[in-house]
Amino acid sequence: MASSADASSPDISLALVAGEVSGDMLAARLLAGLRPHLPNARFHGIGGPRMIEQGLVSDVPIETLTVRGLFEIIPRYREIKGIQNRLRDRLLAERPAAFIGADYPGFNLGLEEQLRAGGIPTLHFVGPQIWAWRGGRIKKIQRAVSHMLVIFPFEEQIYKDAGVPVTYIGHPLAETIPLVPDTVAARAALGLRADGRVVTIMPGSRMGELKYLAETFVRTAGLLAKRDPGLTFVVPMAGDKQRAYFHEIVAKAGLQDVPLMLLDGQSHTAIAAADAVLVASGTATLEVALFKKPMVIAYKVMRASWEIMRHMGYLPWIGLPNILAREWVVPEYLQHAATPEALSEAVWQQLNDTALRDQLAARFTDMHHSLLRNSAQESAQAVLQVIGARA
């Protein structure tokens, strides 16, 4: 662990990069844990509003890095590669005490490999999904990463077996989401009837996700509304751009009559208020599980990206609740299978099967306990150990 002299040094700096909203949230927890130990340290790199609130100086807006899919990145490759190269050169000159990559592996692992080769310790926060899509990536991690910080318990053994130093820190969402969600309070906050039935629709926070899922999800809501006109549909939007695009999709599809309540953010309130959730694959699926809600998971990308990705996988699941449970706990509909008809039928079952709902609540409660740690403290201690090992 770093000595008190190291911790109080006004010259110490740490560089961090997050490329997406989920990484921003996770890295902010790490910074909150580090600040008491490094009160005079300088945190800089690339991050979002949560990291900035914790004192990060972001050299580039996080939105600059946000891109989804294997082929969708091609038009912006030179721009993003240029950002990576400039940051690499700057950090090799400045010599921070460590570099911490928060998720975003396509960008961060390449940067970490170069920085570590240049003598800068590197940590990677959130293990890339080597267990889902790219098993061969572990070799690159061995070269690039001095220490892994993982948020799922089964990941720890993967890295130990590969000889990569690793710390399981728990998942920060398990700390911020209550073990027993308050559905009544959430509905009151949104002005919804306490005794109504609510379906929350989460087509994703990124424009790429909306492009592929928005119309499908709205058509799904339309089919459900025909089966039960009393249903209320709640749709949290990540920002003004996403809201405007969603409205555009609804209008082009002629679906203005579908009763949708669009929210500015408030995703956790929307999930807590729900009886069932239709959700894009990603971190949001874990949020829904931690709120103990039934869900249906959908995933769509560009066709060429899908053809490559489906040949790279060696797990049968894509949704985090199923991956954590190591079995089919909730339904997943991928690419061409994610039709409004299939999704509406699956959501309808989630709404009306009382025994299934009770079973899911129990499974998700066990999952919540397994992910519950003091992630800020655990991750901060790991960083301090790496800094101390260098000193």
Side-chain angles (χ1 to χ4, degrees):
M1 184 179 298
S3 68
S4 58
D6 295 329
S8 62
S9 171
D11 298 324
I12 194 170
S13 70
L14 291 172
L16 301 92
V17 169
E20 297 180 307
V21 172
S22 58
D24 179 47
M25 179 197 70
L26 296 167
R29 292 282 299 167
L30 167 62
L31 290 174
L34 279 173
R35 181 58 73 188
H37 300 280
L38 303 172
N40 301 314
R42 177 173 178 260
F43 302 137
H44 65 100
I46 303 173
R50 291 181 177 88
M51 293 169 70
I52 291 170
E53 285 177 5
Q54 295 297 330
L56 179 86
V57 177
S58 185
D59 303 316
V60 176
I62 191 172
E63 295 81 8
T64 307
L65 298 185
T66 302
V67 66
R68 179 176 183 259
L70 298 175
F71 283 87
E72 290 85 340
I73 196 173
I74 291 175
R76 299 191 55 218
Y77 175 80
R78 291 183 64 184
E79 174 193 2
I80 293 174
K81 183 64 175 177
I83 293 171
Q84 184 192 61
N85 289 341
R86 289 190 295 274
L87 185 58
R88 174 203 63 203
D89 294 343
R90 176 180 171 185
L91 295 180
L92 287 173
E94 292 183 359
R95 316 297 299 174
F99 173 84
I100 304 164
D103 206 358
Y104 203 60
F107 183 97
N108 277 329
L109 285 177
L111 179 58
E112 288 158 9
E113 186 172 2
Q114 296 175 84
L115 295 178
R116 192 180 185 202
I120 297 173
T122 58
L123 297 96
H124 194 88
F125 190 39
V126 182
Q129 294 184 7
I130 57 172
W131 33 266
W133 295 117
R134 299 182 63 180
R137 189 180 271 172
I138 191 68
K139 296 179 181 178
K140 184 167 188 174
I141 291 172
Q142 290 170 329
R143 299 190 302 270
V145 179
S146 305
H147 197 106
M148 284 294 306
L149 305 175
V150 297
I151 57 178
F152 298 118
F154 68 87
E155 294 177 294
E156 192 171 22
Q157 195 60 47
I158 294 174
Y159 292 101
K160 285 182 177 179
D161 291 345
V164 178
V166 59
T167 300
Y168 169 54
I169 65 168
H171 202 296
L173 284 171
E175 301 171 71
T176 59
I177 295 173
L179 279 167
V180 181
D182 193 337
T183 299
V184 174
R187 293 187 177 187
L190 297 177
L192 301 173
R193 288 173 46 195
D195 59 348
R197 294 211 297 175
V198 177
V199 175
T200 292
I201 296 176
M202 305 184 72
S205 60
R206 297 175 291 192
M207 296 301 295
E209 291 171 313
L210 290 177
K211 175 182 176 182
Y212 289 104
L213 288 174
E215 182 175 346
T216 297
F217 278 18
V218 174
R219 291 191 183 280
T220 300
L223 293 174
L224 288 166
K226 289 181 180 179
R227 299 181 78 163
D228 181 358
L231 285 174
T232 297
F233 300 94
V234 177
V235 190
M237 291 279 99
D240 293 338
K241 185 177 180 181
Q242 289 84 347
R243 174 188 278 267
Y245 182 78
F246 193 85
H247 276 302
E248 180 182 332
I249 290 294
V250 171
K252 284 184 177 179
L255 300 170
Q256 297 93 326
D257 293 337
V258 178
L260 301 168
M261 175 189 288
L262 270 61
L263 305 177
D264 294 323
Q266 303 181 78
S267 61
H268 282 189
T269 305
I271 297 170
D275 291 294
V277 182
L278 175 60
V279 58
S281 178
T283 302
T285 63
L286 180 62
E287 293 175 304
V288 176
L290 293 174
F291 275 102
K292 325 301 183 299
K293 301 295 182 176
M295 78 186 84
V296 175
I297 298 171
Y299 184 81
K300 286 186 178 184
V301 290
M302 182 186 293
R303 181 177 177 179
S305 295
W306 171 251
E307 290 300 321
I308 291 176
M309 293 172 70
R310 73 188 184 93
H311 290 296
M312 293 168 68
Y314 61 88
L315 285 181
W317 318 284
I318 191 172
L320 286 171
N322 293 333
I323 291 169
L324 286 167
R326 316 302 288 176
E327 63 176 294
W328 292 101
V329 177
V330 296
E332 301 177 4
Y333 292 86
L334 313 182
Q335 207 65 4
H336 302 300
T339 65
E341 292 76 17
L343 295 175
S344 62
E345 186 61 38
V347 172
W348 187 254
Q349 182 182 5
Q350 301 280 313
L351 279 170
N352 292 287
D353 189 333
T354 302
L356 173 63
R357 295 169 61 82
D358 292 342
Q359 179 185 1
L360 286 175
R363 291 296 299 273
F364 291 156
T365 298
D366 291 341
M367 193 176 292
H368 199 149
H369 283 290
S370 74
L371 297 173
L372 194 56
R373 298 286 190 279
N374 187 332
S375 60
Q377 179 177 310
E378 296 284 346
S379 56
Q381 289 300 321
V383 172
L384 293 170
Q385 288 173 5
V386 169
I387 294 173
R390 184 189 182 215

